[in-house]
Amino acid sequence: QKEVEQNSGPLSVPEGAIASLNCTYSDRGSQSFFWYRQYSGKSPELIMSIYSNGDKEDGRFTAQLNKASQYVSLLIRDSQPSDSATYLCAVNSRYSTLTFGKGTMLLVSP
Amino acid sequence: ETGVTQTPRHLVMGMTNKKSLKCEQHLGHNAMYWYKQSAKKPLELMFVYNFKEQTENNSVPSRFSPECPNSSHLFLHLHTLQPEDSALYLCASRTGANEQFFGPGTRLTVL
């Protein structure tokens, strides 16, 4: 059974701080890794994709991948109250399918 | 707006009703998906279609019946559902880089 594990949170950070979200996965053959943001009552929105070891930056977001440790993380710099949402980690398990974690709830307080 | 639309956005149905959910993508993708999202559970993959052919059925009960007439449209036909089927049903389409883009979802309530 392919698994993706995330701490359910909530992770509480003050406005302007760095939020660090973590995810581990069990399938060593996984090649594609994604972070989705989901606001309450809304559908998931893709915010980051990462395919190789190291860091990938996009604006205030940085995704980090370590395949040897089977670990992927998302850093959000200068966190804003509008970043408050549930963040889903997704990992490809077979070519055309993704396995999702349960998500980490992030709360950014003004 | 992701380029994936779903209708209806909300649906209330009795256990004896038959209804259909519709998904349309305007992104030119060739793969489409149905997911179920229940409270406090991870997204559950239901069906996958590649080039109109079903390539994945994740042990979904037969009361859910998918249909994919072309690469842009996907339906989920519902009949004799149970209250535990109440959930958010999400459609997604996929790029060649394995990125999936979701529609807004249909919030289904089964009475």
Side-chain angles (χ1 to χ4, degrees), chain A residues 32 34 36 38 41-46 48-49 51 56 88 92 94-98 100-102, chain B residues 33 35 37 40 42-43 45 48 50 55-56 88 90 94 96-104 107:
Chain A
S32 308
F34 307 92
Y36 287 82
Q38 186 172 25
K42 303 294 186 181
S43 62
E45 173 192 8
L46 179 65
M48 289 291 283
S49 309
Y51 303 95
K56 179 182 177 182
L88 305 176
N92 84 298
R94 290 177 297 281
Y95 171 68
S96 62
T97 66
L98 296 179
F100 286 82
K102 290 185 178 181
Chain B
Y33 302 73
Y35 288 91
Q37 189 175 38
K40 302 191 186 303
L43 275 165
L45 178 66
V48 181
N50 281 286
T55 56
E56 189 94 16
L88 180 67
L90 292 160
R94 189 195 86 226
N98 224 9
E99 297 172 321
Q100 293 187 21
F101 294 91
F102 287 87
R107 175 69 62 185

Side-chain angles (χ1 to χ4, degrees), chain B residues 30-103:
Chain B
N30 293 313
M32 297 184 74
Y33 302 73
W34 281 117
Y35 288 91
K36 175 184 178 182
Q37 189 175 38
S38 305
K40 302 191 186 303
K41 294 175 73 173
L43 275 165
E44 299 174 57
L45 178 66
M46 300 177 73
F47 301 103
V48 181
Y49 279 82
N50 281 286
F51 294 95
K52 305 188 301 177
E53 300 298 320
Q54 187 181 124
T55 56
E56 189 94 16
N57 177 336
N58 203 22
S59 302
V60 179
S62 59
R63 57 185 183 271
F64 295 91
S65 174
E67 178 190 1
C68 187
N70 55 60
S71 293
S72 299
H73 293 85
L74 187 63
F75 295 89
L76 188 62
H77 303 300
L78 317 171
H79 65 97
T80 59
L81 295 191
Q82 305 298 311
E84 59 264 29
D85 296 322
S86 298
L88 180 67
Y89 288 84
L90 292 160
C91 173
S93 68
R94 189 195 86 226
T95 70
N98 224 9
E99 297 172 321
Q100 293 187 21
F101 294 91
F102 287 87

Side-chain angles (χ1 to χ4, degrees), chain A residues 21-81:
Chain A
L21 303 160
N22 304 314
C23 172
T24 58
Y25 60 94
S26 63
D27 183 3
R28 286 195 168 275
S30 298
Q31 297 295 321
S32 308
F33 307 86
F34 307 92
W35 284 99
Y36 287 82
R37 178 176 62 199
Q38 186 172 25
Y39 293 113
S40 180
K42 303 294 186 181
S43 62
E45 173 192 8
L46 179 65
I47 55 172
M48 289 291 283
S49 309
I50 187 166
Y51 303 95
S52 55
N53 280 329
D55 295 359
K56 179 182 177 182
E57 187 175 318
D58 184 359
R60 295 187 297 113
F61 298 101
T62 298
Q64 299 175 316
L65 175 60
N66 184 325
K67 289 185 180 180
S69 300
Q70 294 176 248
Y71 175 93
V72 58
S73 64
L74 179 70
L75 301 178
I76 306 175
R77 290 181 299 282
D78 187 24
S79 295
Q80 301 297 309

Side-chain angles (χ1 to χ4, degrees), chain B residues 11-15 17-19 78-79 81 108-111:
Chain B
L11 178 63
V12 179
M13 59 187 290
M15 289 190 285
N17 292 158
K18 291 184 179 181
K19 297 287 185 183
L78 317 171
H79 65 97
L81 295 191
L108 173 67
T109 302
V110 182
L111 301 176

